[in-house]
Amino acid sequence: MEHYSILMSVYYKEKPEYLSESIQSMLHQTVPPDDFVLVCDGPLTPGLDQVIDHFVQQEKGLFQVIRLEKNQGLGNALNAGMKYCKNDLVARMDSDDISLPERCELQLKKFEESPELDIVSGTVLEFLERTDNILVRKELPETNEEIYKFALTRAPFNHPVAMYRREAVERAGGYRGDYPLFEDYYLWVRMLQNHVIGYNLKEPVYLFRADANMYGRRGGFGYLKKMCKFRTYMYKSHFCSFRHYLMAIVGQSIVCLVPTGLRRILYNKLLRN
């Protein structure tokens, strides 16, 4: 199996205990990493710095800690960190979630079985407060043909659990900040325009930490404006047809503008499995 790097970004609002649990989940993979790139997106709290120092001392030579002077946002932070990744295969990881122990082994096996693959994501379980309190299962299309069709209206990969070839990401221009809140989808669109080959594992491999404010952040006129701007880019770049553009705009506009409680139901019942 190929070696792989972990790419994680953290900023000052993260809780130290969540960061610790997230890092632990990657260190306890059945196929452990040999390179862990951790980008500090601006100054952190003493508690977060203490967690990072602990792991750096515990795992000698594994961590590369990149400290940015100012908070630059997820896309820019990941771009900065990717330059330091030692391996072509890069496993994304968010600083407050949990990877199940066999996550990376299953992804590496898929790359080994199908060397033509550029990206392998997987099924995510969203939980609230406790890992046994699963709210929803986010499963995406499995095959490359299904992924391309799905991408016309919705993000085709679960970004926090993606493992991809660094070369394929860099060839598409890397992460960009042109469309805030849609940095990952924007990357997937550009990669698919380059005819990359993707796959989504059906097995749950990742626990996504939901919170009470998550659905509130995905609504309102501010979010709607950003969504429309990104969808317009998709249409003008000839990634999707006008029909798919209109379907996405109308559907997401409705979801954005309904009350938060109803938005949560729509996300969980209609936009997820």
Side-chain angles (χ1 to χ4, degrees):
M1 286 187 182
E2 290 187 56
H3 293 292
Y4 69 96
S5 299
I6 296 170
L7 179 58
M8 177 188 289
S9 172
V10 62
Y11 79 130
Y12 75 98
K13 288 187 178 181
E14 190 57 88
K15 293 184 178 181
E17 59 269 29
Y18 290 173
L19 176 63
S20 179
E21 194 170 8
S22 178
I23 292 174
Q24 288 278 14
S25 76
M26 294 307 282
L27 297 181
H28 292 160
Q29 290 292 300
T30 53
V31 178
D34 68 346
D35 180 38
F36 199 127
V37 178
L38 177 58
V39 182
C40 302
D41 189 10
L44 303 180
T45 64
L48 290 169
D49 283 330
Q50 186 176 6
V51 169
I52 294 170
D53 291 342
H54 166 75
F55 284 111
V56 168
Q57 292 300 317
Q58 176 180 291
E59 304 288 337
K60 298 288 186 180
L62 177 65
F63 283 85
Q64 299 186 70
V65 180
I66 315 303
R67 294 187 179 273
L68 306 181
E69 289 186 8
K70 297 180 180 180
N71 180 270
Q72 298 184 22
L74 181 63
N76 289 329
L78 294 179
N79 266 340
M82 193 171 296
K83 298 174 184 177
Y84 292 86
C85 291
K86 297 178 180 178
N87 301 302
D88 184 45
L89 283 182
V90 177
R92 271 285 293 117
M93 183 66 196
D94 276 357
S95 59
D96 59 346
D97 297 334
I98 300 168
S99 283
L100 297 179
E102 293 186 347
R103 170 207 160 171
C104 291
E105 181 178 0
L106 290 171
Q107 290 176 303
L108 291 168
K109 282 182 177 178
K110 197 63 193 176
F111 277 109
E112 190 173 56
E113 293 168 2
S114 306
E116 73 279 6
L117 286 173
D118 298 293
I119 178 169
V120 175
S121 182
T123 297
V124 167
L125 301 178
E126 293 185 4
F127 73 96
L128 181 63
E129 296 181 355
R130 306 186 320 274
T131 56
D132 61 348
N133 183 24
I134 303 299
L135 301 177
V136 79
R137 174 187 176 111
K138 189 178 179 185
E139 183 177 314
L140 296 175
E142 183 176 14
T143 66
N144 197 55
E145 183 178 353
E146 293 170 325
I147 286 168
Y148 272 75
K149 183 178 180 181
F150 190 86
L152 297 174
T153 54
R154 291 164 60 187
F157 303 107
N158 284 320
H159 181 228
V161 73
M163 181 182 283
Y164 44 60
R165 295 201 179 278
R166 184 179 63 179
E167 183 275 333
V169 173
E170 291 175 340
R171 185 159 38 92
Y175 291 92
R176 294 179 184 170
D178 306 34
Y179 301 99
L181 304 181
F182 292 89
E183 291 96 340
D184 56 335
Y185 199 171
Y186 183 32
L187 174 61
W188 306 148
V189 167
R190 287 181 283 115
M191 290 179 71
L192 293 174
Q193 286 175 321
N194 281 347
H195 309 293
V196 298
I197 300 176
Y199 184 84
N200 284 309
L201 298 167
K202 289 298 182 182
E203 300 95 325
V205 290
Y206 193 87
L207 299 176
F208 179 89
R209 192 183 302 274
D211 63 53
N213 299 319
M214 182 174 71
Y215 297 103
R217 293 192 297 269
R218 295 176 179 177
F221 286 102
Y223 187 92
L224 177 61
K225 184 178 179 180
K226 291 181 175 66
M227 180 275 293
C228 290
K229 182 181 177 182
F230 173 67
R231 292 292 179 182
T232 300
Y233 155 77
M234 289 179 64
Y235 172 64
K236 288 187 175 180
S237 67
H238 307 293
F239 183 78
C240 69
S241 67
F242 182 75
R243 180 173 68 88
H244 288 111
Y245 165 73
L246 193 61
M247 286 170 54
I249 287 286
V250 172
Q252 284 197 275
S253 294
I254 293 171
V255 173
C256 281
L257 297 178
V258 298
T260 301
L262 181 55
R263 184 181 309 118
R264 176 179 58 81
I265 294 172
L266 290 173
Y267 263 104
N268 291 346
K269 298 297 184 182
L270 301 179
L271 303 183
R272 284 166 167 73
N273 292 301

